[in-house]
Amino acid sequence: MACQGDGASLWWPCKDHLSDEPNTTVIKITVPDTLKAVANGRLITDRREGKGKHSFTWAVSYPINSYNINVNVGNYVHFNDTYTANDGAKLDLDYYVLPYNLEKAKKHFRQVHDVLGCFEEFFGKYPFWEDGYKLIETSYLGMEHQSAIAYGNLYRRGYLGDRIPKDMNFDYIILHESGHEYFGNSVSASDLADMWIHESFTTYMEALFVECQMSYSAAVRYLEYQRPFIRNEEPIIGVRGVNWHKRVTTSDQYYKGSWILHTLRSIVDDDDRWKAYLKKFVQRI
Amino acid sequence: MKIIISEDILEYTQAYFKEIELKHFFSQYLYRPEIPVIHYKLSETQDGIKMQYQMQSQESDLKIPIKVRVGNQTIKIIAENKLKSLLLETDKCSDVQILKNLYLLDFVIQP
């Protein structure tokens, strides 16, 4: 289930506006005892309720966008891993996948270390450390649910096997949705008009990941690969105070926004300063 | 964790890079749909290659420094909404390469 844009009030009663977030959240789900329920944050209770029911309670210890609150129910198997930050701190990585994808997922999700490592280099540590990092297999492509990323890219490279240069081999959904943990979930827009804050910066993070893993020239090549998608049909910043998320008919908040940041970096023309700006921006704005 | 609006970013960025005037940059790229177009022309002269260039943008005071490779050297030109000209120290147009992939600009070479 994903509700970004339409809004979380589609499925649970809430103050459904980007400008306000609950400081903490508890999510309790009761499901048939053959299934697991996975949500944001930490699993705090896991209890048999009798009569074929099982309940799972999850707690989120950070502010969270209402559209990021999420429930996944499935015949999941769980495995875990640990990411070690530059300062030695350990981050729990928890993965919930369908049983027939377990071995594939164990191999495929190793790239999470590369993603988190590069993002840490550019933007500092993963922002929801206490809640851990999760990927949860879903029937849809993906969504950046805070600390509980929906993953449906079928364990393929790029975007369902495509949409990245042929010599690159990362999973677009893992990369992009993990980027949103910084821009979207940690730094959040207060109005739909400002959604470029989520999408432009996160798309630019993809290029930074390529730079981190390969080189700056490869990152420029990645940006050039995305440039044909730019349409220049509408301003990046929309009209505030209206529920108008479908105003955007192109991907300009993604690709054009990323190119604007790339252009700004070229104008600044000082890589060390640019990188310091990005890191300070996330940590101090 | 912060909830912000676009202007928070613009103010923060302008304060960070205070020596670079960014108001017109953000106005052009974030509040308008169009991107600037650079019209340029290279012509051979007795003294070198003459480069003429002019930016066409909706923000009339926008200026963008653009890197140009001339042989083994890289120079910067400042594109703005007026026709400018400079003489490059080379005798071949093929030695002159604008680093187009660094900028969200459209480039149009004039005959």
Side-chain angles (χ1 to χ4, degrees):
Chain A
M1 181 276 301
C3 62
Q4 186 186 27
D6 292 315
S9 55
L10 272 178
W11 70 281
W12 64 282
C14 60
K15 184 177 179 183
D16 196 357
H17 198 275
L18 298 179
S19 63
D20 198 15
E21 300 179 354
N23 288 331
T24 59
T25 307
V26 174
I27 306 157
K28 182 175 178 181
I29 316 141
T30 302
V31 296
D33 61 9
T34 53
L35 302 174
K36 281 194 176 70
V38 188
N40 316 78
R42 294 278 183 188
L43 181 63
I44 54 172
T45 66
D46 170 358
R47 194 166 60 206
R48 286 175 189 274
E49 300 287 3
K51 297 184 181 175
K53 304 282 188 193
H54 202 110
S55 71
F56 298 84
T57 305
W58 295 80
V60 182
S61 57
Y62 298 90
I64 183 169
N65 297 321
S66 56
Y67 71 80
N68 261 314
I69 292 173
N70 189 242
V71 171
N72 305 273
V73 177
N75 178 29
Y76 289 125
V77 289
H78 168 238
F79 66 100
N80 61 342
D81 194 359
T82 305
Y83 169 78
T84 305
N86 288 334
D87 65 1
K90 306 284 186 191
L91 173 68
D92 292 330
L93 311 177
D94 287 281
Y95 304 124
Y96 294 85
V97 302
L98 296 175
Y100 49 85
N101 285 325
L102 178 61
E103 293 311 313
K104 206 187 292 183
K106 280 183 176 175
K107 188 176 172 195
H108 193 77
F109 289 171
R110 283 181 203 151
Q111 65 189 287
V112 167
H113 289 265
D114 296 333
V115 170
L116 294 176
C118 287
F119 288 170
E120 182 180 352
E121 182 182 323
F122 279 105
F123 298 101
K125 285 159 71 177
Y126 170 77
F128 303 104
W129 203 267
E130 297 304 319
D131 283 355
Y133 172 100
K134 291 186 286 300
L135 291 175
I136 303 151
E137 186 168 347
T138 55
S139 56
Y140 56 94
L141 191 61
M143 178 63 203
E144 64 263 28
H145 300 128
Q146 186 173 306
S147 78
I149 294 167
Y151 176 80
N153 199 36
L154 307 178
Y155 307 94
R156 299 173 75 175
R157 63 180 287 279
Y159 184 103
L160 292 173
D162 197 6
R163 293 203 201 177
I164 60 172
K166 289 199 176 352
D167 63 327
M168 298 180 190
N169 197 33
F170 55 84
D171 184 312
Y172 175 89
I173 292 298
I174 293 176
L175 179 61
H176 184 85
E177 308 308 345
S178 299
H180 273 310
E181 298 291 319
Y182 292 82
F183 289 98
N185 300 349
S186 180
V187 177
S188 306
S190 73
D191 193 289
L192 288 169
D194 300 302
M195 285 302 283
W196 74 283
I197 296 169
H198 298 200
E199 301 302 349
S200 300
F201 279 86
T202 299
T203 305
Y204 184 62
M205 289 174 83
E206 297 166 19
L208 293 176
F209 173 76
V210 174
E211 178 174 346
C212 167
Q213 288 283 294
M214 298 173 77
S215 63
Y216 175 69
S217 61
V220 173
R221 207 155 38 77
Y222 183 74
L223 285 156
E224 288 182 293
Y225 189 88
Q226 294 179 325
R227 182 154 177 180
F229 298 112
I230 296 173
R231 294 284 175 265
N232 300 316
E233 289 172 357
E234 298 168 273
I236 293 284
I237 298 175
V239 179
R240 293 216 174 89
V242 291
N243 188 14
W244 200 19
H245 75 277
K246 285 176 182 164
R247 76 176 176 88
V248 178
T249 55
T250 69
S251 301
D252 279 4
Q253 286 187 342
Y254 294 73
Y255 308 117
K256 183 175 180 179
S258 177
W259 264 89
I260 291 169
L261 294 167
H262 174 56
T263 303
L264 183 56
R265 176 180 180 169
S266 302
I267 291 171
V268 169
D269 195 25
D270 181 335
D271 281 354
D272 290 342
R273 208 158 159 233
W274 176 250
K275 289 172 184 175
Y277 156 77
L278 290 175
K279 190 173 272 188
K280 282 183 184 164
F281 172 73
V282 168
Q283 294 171 352
R284 294 186 188 172
I285 195 168
Chain B
M1 317 295 124
K2 284 279 175 65
I3 301 174
I4 61 171
I5 59 172
S6 300
E7 285 72 15
D8 294 326
I9 295 179
L10 311 193
E11 283 172 23
Y12 178 84
T13 305
Q14 182 61 84
Y16 197 92
F17 300 113
K18 50 182 175 286
E19 77 284 7
I20 306 172
E21 197 283 302
L22 292 172
K23 179 182 163 208
H24 300 295
F25 175 85
F26 289 133
S27 294
Q28 177 71 47
Y29 281 104
L30 295 175
Y31 294 95
R32 298 176 182 274
E34 306 91 347
I35 61 170
V37 181
I38 307 293
H39 299 271
Y40 71 101
K41 181 177 183 175
L42 299 173
S43 48
E44 292 179 8
T45 72
Q46 285 185 332
D47 302 319
I49 298 298
K50 182 181 176 188
M51 181 176 189
Q52 293 174 286
Y53 57 97
Q54 180 170 14
M55 182 160 66
Q56 180 190 341
S57 67
Q58 289 65 42
E59 279 294 312
S60 56
D61 292 327
L62 178 65
K63 294 179 185 177
I64 297 184
I66 298 170
K67 285 185 178 176
V68 179
R69 193 161 289 149
V70 183
N72 294 325
Q73 289 193 316
T74 301
I75 63 164
K76 269 189 201 172
I77 60 171
I78 307 295
E80 53 189 306
N81 283 274
K82 65 181 181 187
L83 183 62
K84 298 172 84 172
S85 175
L86 85 163
L87 200 59
L88 303 172
E89 289 181 9
T90 181
D91 53 3
K92 289 186 290 186
C93 289
S94 59
D95 278 350
V96 181
Q97 183 196 2
I98 299 174
L99 302 187
K100 297 176 183 175
N101 60 6
L102 300 184
Y103 309 95
L104 183 59
L105 295 164
D106 280 336
F107 290 88
V108 177
I109 188 159
Q110 306 289 6

